[in-house]
Amino acid sequence: MSGRDAAPGAEPIRVLVVEDEEVAADAHALYVGRVPGFAVVGVAHTRAEAVRVLERRPVDLILLDLYLPDGHGLQLLRSMRAGGHRADVVAVTSARDLALVREGVSLGVVQYVLKPFAFATLRDRLVRYAEFRTAAGEASGQDEVDRALGALRAPEPAALPKGLSAPTLRAVTDALRGSGTGRTAAELAVEVGVSRITARRYLEHLVTDRRAERSPRYGQVGRPELQYRWVAARG
């Protein structure tokens, strides 16, 4: 597979996708192929398969799932470093253990992407990595070093509308994500412990932010209720 729309004469960044779930692996490879300047050179579903790919072809960047059927992703990374392989790593994982995050950073993990995620999230991380990778030459001072390293950082979250708080938004988001078929404002209010009006304000914010969608729920006497469903995991 080749990177699309790379700069003329520029070699694409060669990516190895390491993910045990086949559907997820295919999706990640598809996502990478949609980002200009990147090319998938292999897909591995186990640690052993990843090692074989690394032995056969050059790899610049690894999208690494940390939970593999034949060993932890960081074990693969440690063996790579011991063998002199210097590929950078973006951890694509559901792991939220900050001790693992610290260990991963010490081994060369340059970005973390938590599952589930949308294409835009991975695209942002890849673009930032490409910017960091292309920074070359000697820095003129601290500001230039800071700018180069800053390319790897995710953007600061946008300020919330007046009257909304981050902790309540997290609670509403978590409840909606775990709801499966969705929730009405009244149902989610009970689950989170806020008023129905408050729950609806947060749900409407998620709709505006395109992380949720609303639709009428029929089947009861009177006007249909609005049901909200989480959709941010879509590619």
Side-chain angles (χ1 to χ4, degrees), residues 1-4 11-19 25-44 50 53-54 56-65 80 85 87-92 110 122-123 125-127 129-130 133:
M1 303 178 207
S2 60
R4 296 183 303 162
E11 290 292 328
I13 296 171
R14 297 162 295 194
V15 181
L16 168 62
V17 175
V18 183
E19 164 64 56
D26 290 343
H28 298 170
L30 178 64
Y31 284 176
V32 172
R34 292 169 60 187
V35 181
F38 289 82
V40 176
V41 297
V43 175
V53 174
L54 290 168
R56 292 198 308 264
R57 62 193 65 171
V59 172
D60 302 310
L61 180 67
I62 301 173
L63 295 191
L64 179 63
D65 181 20
M80 282 172 47
H85 204 297
D88 292 319
V89 174
V90 172
V92 180
V110 296
L122 182 60
R123 178 185 58 199
R125 299 304 192 274
L126 293 179
V127 169
Y129 169 75
R133 184 182 173 88

Side-chain angles (χ1 to χ4, degrees), residues 4-233:
R4 296 183 303 162
D5 302 324
E11 290 292 328
I13 296 171
R14 297 162 295 194
V15 181
L16 168 62
V17 175
V18 183
E19 164 64 56
D20 67 323
E21 295 183 6
E22 291 191 15
V23 173
D26 290 343
H28 298 170
L30 178 64
Y31 284 176
V32 172
R34 292 169 60 187
V35 181
F38 289 82
V40 176
V41 297
V43 175
H45 302 296
T46 66
R47 177 183 170 187
E49 287 181 12
V51 170
R52 288 195 290 271
V53 174
L54 290 168
E55 290 173 346
R56 292 198 308 264
R57 62 193 65 171
V59 172
D60 302 310
L61 180 67
I62 301 173
L63 295 191
L64 179 63
D65 181 20
L66 295 187
Y67 297 125
L68 300 172
D70 56 346
H72 198 279
L74 292 186
Q75 293 176 333
L76 169 63
L77 191 46
R78 279 191 289 269
S79 64
M80 282 172 47
R81 298 307 184 224
H85 204 297
R86 308 317 303 170
D88 292 319
V89 174
V90 172
V92 180
T93 178
S94 57
R96 287 166 168 77
D97 186 337
L98 291 180
L100 286 178
V101 172
R102 288 193 296 271
E103 184 178 0
V105 169
S106 71
L107 291 169
V109 174
V110 296
Q111 293 273 14
Y112 273 83
V113 181
L114 291 179
K115 300 176 182 177
F117 57 88
F119 165 65
T121 299
L122 182 60
R123 178 185 58 199
D124 174 77
R125 299 304 192 274
L126 293 179
V127 169
R128 288 173 177 275
Y129 169 75
E131 291 173 355
F132 169 75
R133 184 182 173 88
T134 55
E138 184 173 346
S140 60
Q142 183 68 52
D143 288 348
E144 195 165 334
V145 172
D146 291 342
R147 280 196 298 272
L149 293 175
L152 289 173
R153 301 193 189 107
E156 292 295 324
L160 291 175
K162 185 177 180 180
L164 301 189
S165 72
T168 303
L169 180 60
R170 283 196 297 270
V172 170
T173 299
D174 290 344
L176 191 62
R177 287 178 67 172
S179 67
T181 57
R183 291 282 189 274
T184 65
E187 291 168 343
L188 193 137
V190 173
E191 189 169 343
V192 175
V194 296
S195 70
R196 182 185 61 81
I197 294 175
T198 297
R200 183 166 183 174
R201 287 188 63 202
Y202 282 91
L203 289 167
E204 287 296 326
H205 170 72
L206 292 176
V207 170
T208 301
D209 209 29
R210 298 184 179 181
R211 290 186 285 166
E213 63 182 12
R214 69 171 100 77
S215 60
R217 178 193 286 181
Y218 297 96
Q220 297 180 351
V221 177
R223 296 177 59 187
E225 294 184 275
L226 287 177
Q227 178 172 281
Y228 297 83
R229 188 167 64 90
W230 181 257
V231 295

